[in-house]
Amino acid sequence: MQVTETLNEGLKRAYAITIGADELDAKVNEKLQEARPEIELKGFRKGKVPMALLKKQFGPRVLGEALQETIDGAMNKHFEDSGDRPALQPEVKMTNEDWKEGDDVAVEMSYEALPEIPEVSFGDITLEKMVVKADEESIEDALKNLAETAQNWEDRKSNAKAKDGDQVTIDFLGKVDGEAFEGGAAEDYPLVLGSNSFIPGFEDQLVGAKKDDEVEVKVSFPAEYQAAHLAGKDAVFECKIKAVKKPVAAEINDDLAKQFGAEDLAALKGQIAERLEAEYAGASRAVMKRGLLDALDGKVSFDLPPTLLDAEAKQIAHQLWHEENPDVQGHDHAEIEPTEEHLKLAARRVRLGLLLAELGQKAEVKVSDSEMTQAILNQARQYPGQERAFFEFVQQNQQMQQQLRAPIFEDKVVDYIFEQAKVEEKEVSKADLEKAVEALDDE
């Protein structure tokens, strides 16, 4: 096998690889020899078929596999000898298109090498960690929200009209073409107006109704309604209003606390304070992470693989374009050309991505199976009823696994650097933290 360098320009590399016919033939013979014990042909016992006959019978079939393995072996040996690491999968193609069995194989391999990442010290990096304590006002606001979710219903005054958000207790009987249908009747049914739990248009026609009113509600079942015999049909519901109630927030006391699993109100306040401070800590970490990335970005400089840079710039341009054009759901639009600003942002992301990957590798940072499982479960919750199917899909999809693993790996590398950098805590107000978080979105 001969390997000749044909391009060495920046991070771009290209090589001409010649695989001798004898070497390829030896690989074919090796594979046939491996398979020989399990092969039997008419007139020969199992494992006793002569090699010449095996080669004639199965040689052409084995040749492609042997060629691929030989090329892969040549590539692996090259990377082992050179120390190069390709940024993306190398492009490999045969250059003697008129090749026939018995000829040498000429192959061209090209790729972009990952750059040498300089050593980085963390001791001189100083980061500010914003610390926010849960104040009484925030705790009280959270309590009020909990009380609203645990709301009770209180009868409105006599002759009061039902409003959107009220609960009406109704008896109803539904009819299609003058005939009552199965499942279309109920008594003492509590319906919250505006909840959209009934057929579109049903609840709207009860707004303004009073206790003891009888209302005839006219609606049309949606064309895609689950009960096929009702889909697209017009219906009339005879409704009797038996009560009109307004929502009343629950009282903030020990009873409310017990509804949410706390021993008493003081314990519930303590739980709320912990939850709020955990949220603040998460926001603070995001701010500190941005500070770390800014510091690292100012510390390192190295060549970037053009293909990675171009792909990242196009992705950024595409994402931002869709944010500015939310009505366009698909990707059936003209190609979005990256601007200088997109390229600048892409360069930062690629540079920091390569740096963090290198630091994580040297620090032997690993994403555990349990961390991956938890990440998949968290993602699966976005598909109610299809969690199992999503879980199986991810298990069979390497690209999806990498998408879920990458942010976990990055956060673990960031935590590793946090431990070595100088971190100074500073107690600030909730408003100060919110401003810092807003600034992240503006950049």
Side-chain angles (χ1 to χ4, degrees):
M1 184 185 305
Q2 294 181 342
V3 179
T4 305
E5 185 176 77
T6 58
L7 176 66
N8 189 330
E9 183 181 300
L11 297 174
K12 293 182 179 180
R13 305 282 187 273
Y15 296 86
I17 302 175
T18 302
I19 301 171
D22 292 343
E23 182 179 352
L24 183 57
D25 189 58
K27 187 69 175 177
V28 171
N29 289 336
E30 178 187 329
K31 296 188 74 62
L32 289 173
Q33 193 65 45
E34 289 175 1
R36 188 181 185 188
E38 301 300 322
I39 297 176
E40 57 180 320
L41 291 178
K42 189 175 181 180
F44 298 95
R45 285 181 298 156
K46 187 177 181 179
K48 299 299 182 180
V49 181
M51 278 295 294
L53 185 56
L54 281 179
K55 195 166 187 179
K56 181 179 180 181
Q57 185 83 4
F58 301 104
R61 199 181 305 174
V62 172
L63 182 61
E65 187 179 339
L67 179 59
Q68 185 63 55
E69 287 186 10
T70 304
I71 292 174
D72 290 345
M75 288 171 53
N76 293 336
K77 187 174 188 311
H78 163 74
F79 290 124
E80 185 178 329
D81 293 344
S82 68
D84 275 357
R85 291 179 297 165
L88 297 169
Q89 184 68 22
E91 184 178 336
V92 179
K93 60 182 179 180
M94 288 182 62
T95 54
N96 52 340
E97 297 178 1
D98 57 348
W99 179 86
K100 61 184 182 298
E101 190 173 351
D103 291 348
D104 293 344
V105 177
V107 174
E108 180 183 83
M109 176 177 68
S110 58
Y111 61 91
E112 290 174 4
L114 287 174
E116 287 292 325
I117 310 294
E119 292 288 336
V120 180
S121 60
F122 309 121
D124 59 344
I125 295 179
T126 300
L127 302 170
E128 181 180 270
K129 182 179 181 180
M130 305 176 81
V131 179
V132 180
K133 299 296 183 183
D135 57 36
E136 195 62 30
E137 182 180 355
S138 297
I139 294 173
E140 289 298 326
D141 286 343
L143 278 172
K144 289 176 184 176
N145 290 333
L146 289 179
E148 288 177 4
T149 63
Q151 66 186 7
N152 298 312
W153 298 100
E154 182 180 287
D155 285 323
R156 285 195 176 277
K157 293 179 180 179
S158 180
N159 293 323
K161 294 181 179 180
K163 300 178 181 178
D164 198 38
D166 282 354
Q167 182 191 80
V168 292
T169 304
I170 59 175
D171 293 344
F172 64 84
L173 174 65
K175 297 180 179 180
V176 170
D177 296 330
E179 296 292 331
F181 57 89
E182 186 179 353
E187 294 183 354
D188 295 324
Y189 189 93
L191 175 62
V192 177
L193 303 183
S195 63
N196 297 318
S197 55
F198 269 31
I199 306 166
F202 188 105
E203 295 166 27
D204 295 341
Q205 296 177 55
L206 296 181
V207 173
K210 303 186 297 296
K211 182 181 177 181
D212 296 328
D213 279 356
E214 293 185 1
V215 181
E216 194 175 75
V217 173
K218 297 178 180 179
V219 293
S220 295
F221 284 97
E224 65 278 6
Y225 194 66
Q226 56 189 4
H229 67 290
L230 297 175
K233 295 287 186 66
D234 293 332
V236 176
F237 285 84
E238 298 168 358
C239 302
K240 172 68 180 293
I241 313 299
K242 303 179 78 172
V244 176
K245 300 182 179 184
K246 63 181 178 181
V248 178
E251 290 187 27
I252 298 175
N253 52 26
D254 289 345
D255 289 336
L256 175 68
K258 289 173 183 176
Q259 287 187 50
F260 289 94
E263 185 175 340
D264 53 28
L265 185 57
L268 180 58
K269 286 185 175 182
Q271 291 175 10
I272 291 173
E274 288 180 9
R275 177 176 58 78
L276 288 173
E277 290 179 5
E279 292 176 1
Y280 300 152
S284 175
R285 185 187 185 282
V287 174
M288 192 165 73
K289 179 180 176 180
R290 173 61 65 85
L292 172 63
L293 295 179
D294 288 345
L296 291 175
D297 192 35
K299 270 180 163 288
V300 294
S301 178
F302 47 83
D303 291 337
L304 303 176
T307 303
L308 284 183
L309 186 59
D310 181 60
E312 185 67 27
K314 286 181 177 178
Q315 181 178 340
I316 291 170
H318 190 265
Q319 178 183 341
L320 293 178
W321 186 88
H322 272 283
E323 288 178 5
E324 294 170 359
N325 298 272
D327 294 338
V328 182
Q329 299 297 323
H331 303 287
D332 185 19
H333 53 71
E335 185 174 351
I336 314 299
E337 286 298 326
T339 64
E340 285 298 319
E341 193 63 30
H342 296 148
L343 287 168
K344 183 179 178 182
L345 180 55
R348 172 187 163 96
R349 287 188 182 178
V350 172
R351 181 165 51 250
L352 288 172
L354 293 175
L355 175 61
L356 292 175
E358 181 76 6
L359 294 173
Q361 184 178 20
K362 288 182 177 179
E364 298 183 351
V365 172
K366 305 290 184 185
V367 177
S368 68
D369 290 342
S370 61
E371 288 170 328
M372 274 298 295
T373 299
Q374 189 59 53
I376 296 172
L377 290 174
N378 291 341
Q379 193 80 4
R381 291 192 185 99
Q382 298 181 23
Y383 306 94
Q386 304 177 50
E387 292 89 349
R388 184 179 181 83
F390 178 83
F391 197 90
E392 292 174 353
F393 166 74
V394 174
Q395 286 182 319
Q396 299 168 11
N397 190 307
Q398 290 292 329
Q399 184 177 357
M400 189 66 181
Q401 290 178 33
Q402 181 56 30
Q403 288 178 7
L404 293 172
R405 181 180 287 106
I408 302 173
F409 176 83
E410 180 178 295
D411 279 342
K412 295 186 77 169
V413 176
V414 167
D415 287 337
Y416 165 76
I417 301 173
F418 281 163
E419 292 173 1
Q420 301 179 64
K422 184 179 179 182
V423 178
E424 298 176 347
E425 291 191 355
K426 180 182 179 182
E427 191 165 332
V428 300
S429 68
K430 177 184 173 182
D432 289 336
L433 178 59
E434 288 174 342
K435 287 180 183 177
V437 172
E438 288 172 5
L440 297 182
D441 296 331
D442 293 338
E443 294 180 12

